Amino acid sequence: MTKNINIAIDGPAAAGKSTISKRIAERLQYIYIDTGAMYRAITLHVLNNGREALDHLDGLDIRFSNDTNRAIFLNGTDISEKIRSRDVTANVSEISSISAVREYLVKMQRVIADEKGVVMDGRDIGTTVLPEAELKVYMKASPEIRAKRRLKDENQRGIDVELSTLVQQIIRRDDLDMNRDISPLKKAADAILLDTSHMSIKEVEDKIVRMAEEILKGE
Ligand code: DC
């Protein structure tokens, strides 16, 4: 194997992107970047400080920890738990449709991926952030299956929520993410489509690692 590659993983909410991307990054010894967490960080910041905060994005310090935990820090504070709150989830699609927010984060994401060896997940990685990524995957699964997976996560975190509420939230978020004007969620023409509805995490992970290894061997 020679040079590292970049891997772009896109798809709708709760398709399993972050779980799988994290595992792929561990196996390949790559850096994992959860771009959704970055949009959530700005959303939390706006909820705490008001819309004026959007005029001063350049002063924000957003970082991930280097360990496998991939905690996210905003101006030095670990906000990994807070960005998963209901309030942030309810507002993140709107905040992420603001062009100043996207420009700011896309620039940061490209700098991180510049050295290669990055697994980046999000909505616009293959189409906009890293159109030159050597491997692009678009993961999809039905809203019901994604809601069931999310329900399991929420229950594990001690949160009680109805499955039907989660299905509705997921459908609403898909609609906002797919129909916004700037960088909507869309499969890149050259992305590999993976329907994960009936695949285990391990199956998806193995498939993507195999594809990455094929590319690395061919380099
Ligand atoms: O992956 P997630 O559910 O944590 O992402 C939260 C929101 O952030 C998602 O609804 C849309 C937005 N997002 C985006 O617009 N572009 C990305 N690359 C990643 C996330």
Side-chain angles (χ1 to χ4, degrees):
M1 290 201 198
T2 50
K3 255 171 75 200
N4 283 338
I5 60 168
N6 280 334
I7 304 178
I9 312 271
D10 289 301
K17 300 183 300 293
S18 62
T19 308
I20 286 158
S21 301
K22 222 183 251 181
R23 292 171 65 136
I24 296 167
E26 271 170 39
R27 276 183 55 185
L28 297 173
Q29 305 252 295
Y30 278 15
I31 292 170
Y32 164 57
I33 299 294
D34 174 357
T35 62
M38 298 166 101
Y39 287 95
R40 286 171 180 270
I42 293 191
T43 304
L44 177 69
H45 185 63
V46 170
L47 289 174
N48 288 340
N49 299 285
R51 309 282 294 198
E52 311 85 73
L54 291 171
D55 298 334
H56 311 285
L57 291 177
D58 274 343
L60 287 185
D61 179 18
I62 299 175
R63 288 167 203 249
F64 291 95
S65 67
N66 277 330
D67 50 19
T68 49
N69 207 9
R70 307 305 285 152
I72 182 164
F73 292 82
L74 177 67
N75 297 338
T77 305
D78 185 345
I79 53 163
S80 312
E81 279 292 316
K82 288 203 179 111
I83 59 163
R84 305 289 157 197
S85 72
R86 216 170 284 179
D87 230 13
V88 170
T89 302
N91 287 282
V92 65
S93 285
E94 199 252 299
I95 296 296
S96 63
S97 67
I98 299 169
S99 65
V101 172
R102 300 206 74 82
E103 275 167 31
Y104 173 70
L105 287 182
V106 167
K107 208 190 287 171
M108 194 184 282
Q109 290 154 7
R110 286 185 180 145
V111 169
I112 297 171
D114 204 34
E115 300 275 306
K116 304 244 177 170
V118 167
V119 181
M120 192 174 278
D121 83 1
R123 304 292 190 287
D124 60 339
I125 312 305
T127 53
T128 306
V129 182
L130 305 175
E132 309 293 327
E134 290 81 353
L135 176 57
K136 299 181 190 176
V137 176
Y138 186 92
M139 287 173 35
K140 68 171 207 176
S142 71
E144 290 71 22
I145 286 184
R146 286 185 279 137
K148 278 188 191 150
R149 292 174 182 164
R150 187 61 35 110
L151 183 68
K152 226 165 129 189
D153 287 352
E154 298 284 25
N155 288 345
Q156 271 169 5
R157 291 166 59 223
I159 297 167
D160 202 17
V161 55
E162 289 286 322
L163 180 66
S164 57
T165 308
L166 291 178
V167 174
Q168 277 168 17
Q169 277 174 6
I170 280 177
I171 291 174
R172 177 175 167 271
R173 211 131 73 83
D174 284 358
D175 180 47
L176 290 169
D177 292 347
M178 288 172 178
N179 295 306
R180 66 172 177 232
D181 291 338
I182 320 163
S183 305
L185 167 64
K186 205 173 106 192
K187 180 187 160 304
D190 53 352
I192 313 278
L193 179 67
L194 275 189
D195 185 342
T196 69
S197 301
H198 305 291
M199 289 173 84
S200 69
I201 290 171
K202 179 88 175 96
E203 280 171 330
V204 181
E205 173 196 326
D206 284 347
K207 195 163 182 149
I208 299 175
V209 169
R210 261 200 313 274
M211 290 191 283
E213 285 171 348
E214 285 301 310
I215 296 171
L216 284 161
K217 265 189 239 152
E219 289 239 349

